[in-house]
């Protein structure tokens, strides 16, 4: 189906043309903006924004930048609540009762703190990567739906477009 072909084009474009024994330039003729047979000419403004701007723009940099901006905006909105909760935890008696446990890390040397920072960064980066792949998959599904709805069954003389 067209959805499966589009999903394959988005996940692994090297597998699209070998499906036809590399005899036809499917990616250049069906999914290129310069081709007169391109299916992207039927998708409208919403399809253009999803396909060309979000998924193709700067090899995904636009989608990644918008996602980073969204996460940072959400963090700024939640910051007062986080400050209140962290402030309450820092001045609580149970927190200071555990001084023997976390005090060693607080007084540790720079190499250990650097290692802990690297581990935290790796965790945050992998979580962001998972979130980005889920958002990308959502937009690919939306693009597939738009293609299925908007591309006519036949194109050529005598067909109604």
């Amino acid at each position: 189906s067209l959805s499966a072909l589009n999903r394959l084009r988005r996940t692994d474009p090297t597998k699209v043309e070998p499906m036809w024994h590399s005899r036809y330039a499917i990616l250049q003729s069906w999914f290129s903006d310069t081709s007169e047979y391109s299916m992207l000419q039927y998708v409208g403004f919403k399809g253009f924004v999803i396909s060309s701007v979000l998924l193709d723009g700067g090899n995904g940099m636009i989608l990644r930048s918008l996602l980073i901006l969204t996460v940072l905006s959400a963090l700024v909105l939640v910051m007062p609540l986080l400050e209140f909760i962290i402030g309450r935890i820092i001045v609580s008696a149970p927190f200071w009762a555990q001084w023997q446990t976390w005090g060693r890390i607080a007084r540790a040397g720079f190499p250990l703190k650097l290692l802990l920072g690297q581990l935290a960064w790796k965790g945050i980066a992998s979580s962001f990567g998972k979130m980005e792949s889920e958002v990308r998959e959502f937009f690919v599904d939306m693009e597939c739906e738009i293609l299925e709805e908007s591309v006519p069954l036949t194109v050529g003389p005598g067909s109604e477009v």
Side-chain angles (χ1 to χ4, degrees):
S1 73
L2 184 57
S3 293
L5 179 64
N6 187 53
R7 189 167 286 109
L8 182 65
R9 171 180 80 106
R10 290 293 180 191
T11 55
D12 192 6
T14 60
K15 293 182 179 178
V16 172
E17 292 182 4
M19 290 174 65
W20 287 272
H21 305 290
S22 298
R23 291 184 60 197
Y24 306 106
I26 301 297
L27 292 176
Q28 293 301 319
S29 62
W30 288 4
F31 295 105
S32 175
D33 292 333
T34 58
S35 173
E36 65 179 283
Y37 303 108
S38 176
M39 287 188 261
L40 300 178
Q41 63 185 328
Y42 302 107
V43 295
F45 182 72
K46 183 178 175 184
F48 167 75
V49 169
I50 291 173
S51 178
S52 298
V53 177
L54 288 177
L55 295 174
D56 290 339
N59 291 330
M61 283 302 294
I62 293 177
L63 179 64
R64 191 173 297 125
S65 299
L66 288 174
L67 197 58
I68 289 171
L69 184 67
T70 303
V71 168
L72 289 178
S73 298
L75 189 63
V76 166
L77 287 174
V78 177
M79 189 63 74
L81 181 64
L82 289 176
E83 287 178 356
F84 175 76
I85 292 171
I86 290 172
R88 296 299 291 179
I89 290 173
I90 288 177
V91 298
S92 68
F95 179 76
W96 287 101
Q98 297 293 324
W99 165 254
Q100 297 295 328
T101 305
W102 61 264
R104 295 177 188 164
I105 296 171
R107 290 177 287 167
F110 180 70
L112 179 63
K113 291 179 183 176
L114 183 64
L115 178 67
L116 293 176
Q118 287 175 340
L119 289 174
W121 176 255
K122 280 185 180 180
I124 291 170
S126 69
S127 297
F128 183 78
K130 289 177 186 176
M131 183 175 62
E132 180 187 2
S133 66
E134 288 179 17
V135 169
R136 182 175 174 78
E137 187 67 30
F138 172 76
F139 281 120
V140 168
D141 289 340
M142 190 181 292
E143 180 187 35
C144 290
E145 288 176 17
I146 291 171
L147 280 172
E148 287 285 340
E149 292 172 358
S150 61
V151 174
L153 294 177
T154 58
V155 177
S159 65
E160 295 180 20
V161 178

